[in-house]
Amino acid sequence: MDRPRGDDVRDFGVPTPRRSAVEGDGLDPVYDNDVPIGRRHADPEEPHRHLFTRALVATGLSALVPGLGLIRSRRRWLGVGITATFVGLVVALAIGIALDFDNVAAIAVRPKTLTAVSIALVTAALLWVAVIVGTHLIARPPRLTSTQRVIGALAVGGLSFLVSAPLAVAARYAYDQGHLVNSVFKSGNDVRSQTKPTDLDGGASDPWASKPRLNIMLLGGDTTDETGGVRTDTIMVASIDTKTGNTTIFQIPRNTGRMPFPADSELAKVYPNGFYDGVSGENLEYMANAIWKNVPLSHPELFTDTDQPGADALKMAVGEALGLQIDYFLMLRIDGLVKLINAMGGITLNVNERIPLAGSKDHPGLTKGYIEIGANQKLNGYQAMWYARARYTSANGDNSRMGRQTCVVKAIIDQADPATMLTKYESIAKASQDLISTDLPQEILPAMVTLALRVRDGTIRRYLFATDKDGFQPWDPDFDAMRAKVKTSLEESSAEPPASAAPTATSTAKPSTSSSSRPSSAGSPSSSPSTTSENLDDVCAFNPPES
């Protein structure tokens, strides 16, 4: 019998190869009916399933690292190029962050750069998705079953979403941050103020070179009447050493009377004896917290060249009282503060005295509960507001209140870490728009980011001008004595050791009973006899009065 040839072979169940395998080339022969020699009885669809599985793996690899799934395909050099580009960009970014973290962090306050970052992230997402789709189309076998097509489409869609969603969120955050900066901070040319500093250049490589200290007035304001007038019930000045980040916070009572103005100012001519009615230093309309509203209201002709008349008047008065040049102000509105703390997920504070929620000494029946004494308590925005505002307490009301306010400021500084800001960004950004009024120009913000990082690494001290403390009386203050206290406190801040050597206030369960951490009659720890100011790590620690 003659040996059959050609197509007659199929009649005997022997497949005819489309091509011949070359010995040693590592390739299996493929036949017209896709059944290789030696596997005549195997599932004819098995090679397709194997190739399809490999295509899915390649698609997944390109989702993990762009182009990685193409390296073992017929487009291997395209895959190598894409992967090398991606790895190079990641390495360059990591090196940039490691070598110049401050400048990278400052991107967060540059609106034009943030817009470019947002566009770049969207573009990167689209390109990455294109690589995923392309990898699957190149790697998949030419013939697919209906099931394989559905599985492939689902895999590509799911991987594309996993890759693009984080980049889209980051792009949205970058856009929102740029909008936030533009809505809160004006460009320097658009900031009209009588008191803005002239010795700072936000575009310089080191704007602090000729500025050893930066003084920022921190205000807590509340709208109290139908005219929208603001009472600044919290008045602080943060004096920051621009080289070390060491900071001293000075706080004056809201009811301080006879507030002076610089001798060379027009306001000094109007108020030669300070902000005073000439009769009593206890007139509520002539106290420190009334300057913001009443001075511009009484003398609008003196504020025609500024957009912040209340801030300018108060900056001049507080600066003259403390012997400091106030550079900028930051107004924190009470309702915005509540939103901010809630957006952060609350803040952790040590509670050294029982704090009433709402109510007053005259109306104790309005109290809605209490914050009980305890260490490391997580307070929401409403609780933190009353922690800072309550005057009806077991200790000296206003003095205790002032002390607690500086602890709230410290807690926000300590706990506004990158992880918190990223995970709760949108709610924090929305709250911030309702929270802040300031005359800080956009151009100085990158340098402020660098300085803020130094403040976190430095130490924070405070000095409270509290009633009966060192002879201070708010209705008849001795401003020369106040300036002397400020000078001494700043010298102590300059000599303060690194903060890393000190315990953190919110994690200390019970500090040592040294004189620097014992509670004073005002309800907060006093400084040791050898110092004037107090270290906030000590005064905000858990150290309730002994019963």
Side-chain angles (χ1 to χ4, degrees), residues 45 48-49 52 141-152:
E45 296 299 325
H48 283 289
R49 285 198 294 268
F52 180 70
R143 292 190 296 111
L144 296 174
T145 66
S146 298
T147 301
Q148 288 172 335
R149 291 183 185 278
V150 171
I151 293 174

Side-chain angles (χ1 to χ4, degrees), residues 434-445:
D434 300 328
L435 173 68
I436 299 172
S437 296
T438 184
D439 58 355
L440 276 164
Q442 283 188 17
E443 289 77 6
I444 203 67
L445 294 181

Side-chain angles (χ1 to χ4, degrees), residues 61-63 65-71 76 78-80 82-83 128 131 135:
L61 290 175
S62 281
V65 177
L68 187 61
L70 290 172
I71 292 178
R76 62 175 58 88
L78 176 62
V80 169
I82 294 173
T83 302
W128 201 338
V131 171
T135 299

